Amino acid sequence: MSNIFWRSFLLLFITTGANYAQKHVEPSSQDLQLAEDIHARFEDDEVALVSSTDYITFDLSRDGKQVTATQTTTSQWINLTSRADIQLYDFYDGESDISEFNIFSENQKRAKYHIIDEAYHDQDLFHNDARVKHAHLDFPVKAYRYETRITKNYQDIKYFTGLYLVEEYPILKKEVTFVIPSWLQLDLKAINFEGYEITKTEKQGENANQIVTFTATNVPSRMDESHTPGPSYLYPNILILPKSFENEGQKTVLFNDTSDLYSWYRSLASELENDNSAFRNTVAQLTAGTTSEEEKIRNIYYWIQDNIRYIAFEDGIAGFKPDEASNVYKKRYGDCKGMANLTKQMLTEAGFDARLTWLGTDHIAYDYSTPNLSVDNHMICTVMLGDEMIFLDGTEKFNSLGEYNSRIQGQQMLIEDGENFILTRVPVTAPEFNSENAEYDLSIQDEEIVGSVHKSFSGQQRSDLLYYFHSLQNDRKDDFLNFYLSNGSNNIEVSNIQTSDLTNRDSILEIAYDIRIKNAVSSFGNTIYLDLDIDKELGNMDFKDRKVDYQFDSRKDLLATYKITIPDGLEVSAIPEAYKTSTEAYDLNVSFDKQYQKLIYKKHFRIKNARIKASDFENWNKHIQQLNNIYNEQITFSKN
């Protein structure tokens, strides 16, 4: 056996032994008690931060043209259960780097952990320049400690937009200190501090530096729940607002107000060549034979929806700079910025006044009163048609002209206007615009329910359904309709499905079909029991264990009418009680009626505010319980 092998084996043994030793330092009795106390306070968590400090300084780049920022985060970790494993990670990109990523074990020795540095991949992103450094930390025994230190450097302060005071794990004490030099004018804006134990102190440091420290105590972990509003609505965070800086007597304005933010965006857009020759013939074909300006806009807009694939794309400055329209046209894909630019250039080619438009979706709580790059995350196109503004979002594949997805409704927009800009908001539609109407005409036959169903969808209820339907391969579309209409239940059979034109986004989507429902009828002597409702909308939405606001995909109007023919020789002997309630956020209305030989069961649910706040969960749960009582109570028929 070679000496090289023995040296490698010995090195492996020593390294493994060192790791084993450093991971098995017995925790002190004080740390064991600390872990018990923290776990009693945060019982759902297995790991906590005893302390976390961020120390942030600012400097000038070598050429003096930009402000740089350095953020050093030092954290003390402890696990609260017998064993725990976590991923320690931090992201960086073309505008930042990580110069230190260290892990220290219980005995203050640098831990022998494999630190991985790789490109970050996300299923929603085609490509980006984001990278991540990460390591897997395992806590071998209860109350084991680690210390970590990460230093991140920003080459341009514009991209250091802010930070949150919450983590994936609870924090006993979080301290964030900014050392602001006298030559830098910088504002720090506190967001969502209410309800948290957070203090702020300011003092003068050396060289007239301003030292601002935020201290938060007993911070619970960030909630991992679905259908939540964006974190900027929920958690305490600090927006970093660099206004200007001075160097050698020269003042450089950064983002002092909205006009500065717009000027920077406009400077990026002005670098585009915008050669329209690649799609000139396509525009001519789309506008040939049209009878109105609106028809020209519609044809171009729908062509982009149908032919340009939306793929989120971030790559350095391309996270803010649109791609060339000709590139998007030739590739047949683009991000929101590239698609907005293609929309603008195709409409400009057709003779319209079309403009790039920046906005933040409803995932972001800020608007343009705060000049910061975190204010927006989306781009669309605005057409100025006389006194009317028409907003076109090519990323929404089945929106009709003048129809806007709920994620941008009511959001503030920044529209280019030469050296100036226009601020306005996306129109908001009523809940009734996003409607789903179902009509069931049913009868009892051989202890089964049979009949016909007609459903209609409008607004986002229609566009969402069409988008999903057309995203499927052709051989799966029929299976999807059967699964969707039967609720995926083996007890429901659908047949003779007839639909309206599934490519027409300008009309109401209609679906008619026959239905057979098994195991919904039971007979005992002279009595028949009927479980009529097959949809039970909202019935599973009990929020008793939820802690964070619930966000619906849109405001909506849901109406379902069941007409059941009363069998000859039978009469209705028991039905659930009607229920009706109305709040600022929603209306729930369930009723029963008898007309001739038919029992009519009607549900009308209107979601007037897409967000159900956590403070309203108690009332919401009471109403859902009443609704479930109706769902669980059978309709009874008895012989005359």
Side-chain angles (χ1 to χ4, degrees):
M1 194 176 291
S2 70
N3 290 333
I4 294 176
F5 174 85
W6 280 111
R7 284 197 297 268
S8 301
F9 179 81
L10 183 61
L11 178 63
L12 176 65
F13 178 81
I14 293 172
T15 303
T16 304
N19 280 336
Y20 182 86
Q22 70 186 17
K23 291 181 183 178
H24 286 76
V25 175
E26 288 298 321
S28 66
S29 58
Q30 292 87 346
D31 279 351
L32 285 168
Q33 186 59 52
L34 177 63
E36 289 283 348
D37 294 342
I38 298 173
H39 198 41
R41 192 181 312 166
F42 304 107
E43 56 184 18
D44 295 331
D45 295 282
E46 295 183 347
V47 174
L49 286 153
V50 177
S51 68
S52 177
T53 62
D54 288 272
Y55 191 77
I56 299 154
T57 59
F58 304 94
D59 205 344
L60 288 171
S61 60
R62 289 184 178 180
D63 60 10
K65 294 181 179 180
Q66 293 183 156
V67 178
T68 63
T70 299
Q71 176 187 9
T72 298
T73 304
T74 304
S75 301
Q76 299 283 344
W77 303 81
I78 189 170
N79 67 308
L80 314 179
T81 55
S82 58
R83 285 193 64 89
D85 298 87
I86 67 169
Q87 285 290 334
L88 177 71
Y89 59 88
D90 203 358
F91 294 97
Y92 66 102
D93 53 33
E95 299 296 334
S96 61
D97 65 76
I98 295 176
S99 57
E100 181 183 18
F101 194 100
N102 284 324
I103 304 167
F104 301 93
S105 59
E106 181 89 16
N107 53 12
Q108 291 300 304
K109 293 183 178 180
R110 183 174 296 182
K112 301 289 194 262
Y113 270 95
H114 181 46
I115 297 172
I116 301 172
D117 186 344
E118 61 184 356
Y120 174 66
H121 300 282
D122 187 290
Q123 62 181 359
D124 296 324
L125 292 176
F126 168 67
H127 171 77
N128 59 32
D129 69 336
R131 295 187 64 84
V132 59
K133 278 191 176 184
H134 61 98
H136 181 83
L137 294 189
D138 62 307
F139 295 78
V141 292
K142 183 177 179 179
Y144 192 80
R145 283 196 185 231
Y146 282 108
E147 179 178 299
T148 61
R149 187 160 62 245
I150 300 173
T151 299
K152 185 172 181 179
N153 309 292
Y154 296 85
Q155 281 80 51
D156 189 340
I157 196 174
K158 288 196 298 288
Y159 300 99
F160 187 25
T161 57
L163 53 84
Y164 282 84
L165 300 181
V166 296
E167 302 279 355
E168 295 176 64
Y169 311 95
I171 312 171
L172 292 191
K173 183 179 181 181
K174 174 75 171 178
E175 191 171 271
V176 180
T177 297
F178 296 87
V179 181
I180 306 171
S182 58
W183 47 263
L184 174 63
Q185 184 185 359
L186 178 75
D187 287 349
L188 300 171
K189 187 174 182 178
I191 308 290
N192 298 332
F193 276 25
E194 301 81 6
Y196 288 86
E197 302 173 40
I198 303 175
T199 60
K200 176 184 177 183
T201 61
E202 299 183 50
K203 66 179 182 179
Q204 203 76 16
E206 297 180 358
N207 301 320
N209 290 340
Q210 182 188 15
I211 301 175
V212 182
T213 300
F214 296 88
T215 304
T217 54
N218 299 317
V219 184
S221 59
R222 193 167 58 232
M223 294 294 105
D224 184 19
E225 295 182 321
S226 62
H227 297 281
T228 62
S232 56
Y233 288 96
L234 302 173
Y235 303 118
N237 62 95
I238 303 166
L239 280 181
I240 299 170
L241 307 174
K243 302 292 186 178
S244 64
F245 69 94
E246 291 186 7
N247 183 29
E248 297 181 351
Q250 290 290 109
K251 181 177 180 180
T252 300
V253 175
L254 297 171
F255 292 151
N256 190 55
D257 54 31
T258 307
S259 62
D260 298 322
L261 183 64
Y262 170 70
S263 294
W264 189 71
Y265 285 161
R266 184 168 177 256
S267 70
L268 299 179
S270 66
E271 297 174 3
L272 300 172
E273 295 181 2
N274 290 324
D275 179 4
N276 296 347
S277 58
F279 46 80
R280 187 162 290 140
N281 290 337
T282 300
V283 171
Q285 293 170 8
L286 291 170
T287 56
T290 54
T291 59
S292 68
E293 299 292 84
E294 186 177 287
E295 186 179 358
K296 292 179 183 179
I297 296 171
R298 179 182 288 106
N299 289 352
I300 292 172
Y301 180 41
Y302 290 178
W303 185 91
I304 291 171
Q305 286 189 11
D306 293 340
N307 292 277
I308 306 299
R309 187 159 52 109
Y310 169 63
I311 303 178
F313 181 95
E314 296 177 9
D315 188 5
I317 198 68
F320 300 94
K321 181 180 179 180
D323 193 7
E324 296 285 352
S326 57
N327 290 341
V328 178
Y329 176 82
K330 292 173 183 177
K331 294 183 298 185
R332 290 296 197 266
Y333 66 78
D335 69 353
C336 65
K337 299 175 294 297
M339 295 181 76
N341 189 39
L342 176 61
T343 306
K344 171 187 174 177
Q345 292 306 315
M346 291 184 75
L347 288 166
T348 300
E349 185 66 29
F352 291 98
D353 179 4
R355 308 181 183 188
L356 295 178
T357 301
W358 296 262
L359 72 159
T361 65
D362 63 358
H363 190 74
I364 296 176
Y366 325 123
D367 64 18
Y368 287 102
S369 63
T370 303
N372 183 287
L373 293 184
S374 64
V375 167
D376 48 40
N377 61 349
H378 195 42
M379 184 182 282
I380 63 175
C381 176
T382 299
V383 183
M384 316 298 283
L385 191 61
D387 296 331
E388 183 183 6
M389 292 183 184
I390 302 175
F391 310 113
L392 307 174
D393 185 351
T395 68
E396 299 296 342
K397 292 306 181 184
F398 284 92
N399 279 8
S400 64
L401 187 66
E403 182 176 300
Y404 313 112
N405 190 283
S406 292
R407 69 184 180 130
I408 67 171
Q409 287 186 26
Q411 297 301 109
Q412 192 179 48
M413 296 178 288
L414 181 72
I415 304 173
E416 63 176 337
D417 190 29
E419 294 184 359
N420 301 309
F421 59 89
I422 298 170
L423 285 178
T424 188
R425 292 188 179 272
V426 181
V428 177
T429 57
E432 299 91 310
F433 185 80
N434 304 316
S435 69
E436 180 178 337
N437 187 0
E439 297 180 358
Y440 295 82
D441 193 355
L442 306 171
S443 61
I444 298 174
Q445 186 180 98
D446 298 330
E447 297 205 350
E448 293 181 341
I449 298 176
V450 299
S452 61
V453 185
H454 180 272
K455 290 188 174 183
S456 61
F457 306 81
S458 67
Q460 194 166 325
Q461 297 298 104
R462 179 207 67 237
S463 59
D464 286 351
L465 181 56
L466 287 179
Y467 179 80
Y468 186 78
F469 178 78
H470 285 281
S471 69
L472 299 172
Q473 296 179 357
N474 287 333
D475 59 354
R476 297 184 59 194
K477 290 181 178 178
D478 289 341
D479 291 339
F480 166 71
L481 279 179
N482 274 282
F483 181 86
Y484 175 76
L485 298 174
S486 67
N487 291 334
S489 172
N490 293 328
N491 289 321
I492 301 175
E493 295 179 2
V494 299
S495 58
N496 300 324
I497 300 174
Q498 303 292 322
T499 69
S500 58
D501 184 358
L502 296 180
T503 64
N504 188 342
R505 73 208 80 194
D506 290 321
S507 65
I508 293 175
L509 169 62
E510 297 184 273
I511 304 177
Y513 55 97
D514 294 331
I515 191 169
R516 179 177 296 274
I517 310 170
K518 305 174 184 177
N519 298 323
V521 180
S522 55
S523 300
F524 295 93
N526 294 329
T527 304
I528 294 178
Y529 299 93
L530 185 65
D531 186 5
L532 183 59
D533 197 319
I534 63 172
D535 294 315
K536 298 179 172 59
E537 297 96 338
L538 307 181
N540 63 342
M541 297 185 65
D542 188 309
F543 297 148
K544 65 180 181 180
D545 296 323
R546 189 180 177 92
K547 298 178 181 178
V548 179
D549 298 359
Y550 183 90
Q551 182 83 30
F552 283 96
D553 56 357
S554 70
R555 299 186 301 157
K556 63 187 71 179
D557 193 79
L558 309 175
L559 178 62
T561 304
Y562 291 77
K563 295 180 180 179
I564 181 78
T565 300
I566 301 172
D568 291 339
L570 296 179
E571 62 182 13
V572 179
S573 56
I575 57 175
E577 290 187 13
Y579 185 71
K580 182 177 182 180
T581 188
S582 179
T583 72
E584 291 184 358
Y586 51 88
D587 297 333
L588 306 177
N589 190 353
V590 181
S591 63
F592 296 85
D593 190 20
K594 181 181 176 183
Q595 295 180 4
Y596 304 105
Q597 282 301 108
K598 289 185 180 292
L599 175 67
I600 300 174
Y601 164 45
K602 183 177 289 187
K603 297 180 298 181
H604 191 183
F605 302 150
R606 180 171 293 163
I607 306 300
K608 299 183 289 188
N609 188 332
R611 182 181 307 164
I612 308 298
K613 295 183 178 180
S615 57
D616 296 331
F617 282 173
E618 184 176 355
N619 281 332
W620 168 271
N621 290 339
K622 290 178 181 178
H623 299 315
I624 296 304
Q625 182 58 55
Q626 291 287 346
L627 196 59
N628 280 321
N629 290 342
I630 295 173
Y631 290 155
N632 294 330
E633 187 175 347
Q634 293 178 313
I635 297 171
T636 304
F637 298 100
S638 58
K639 292 185 178 180
N640 294 334

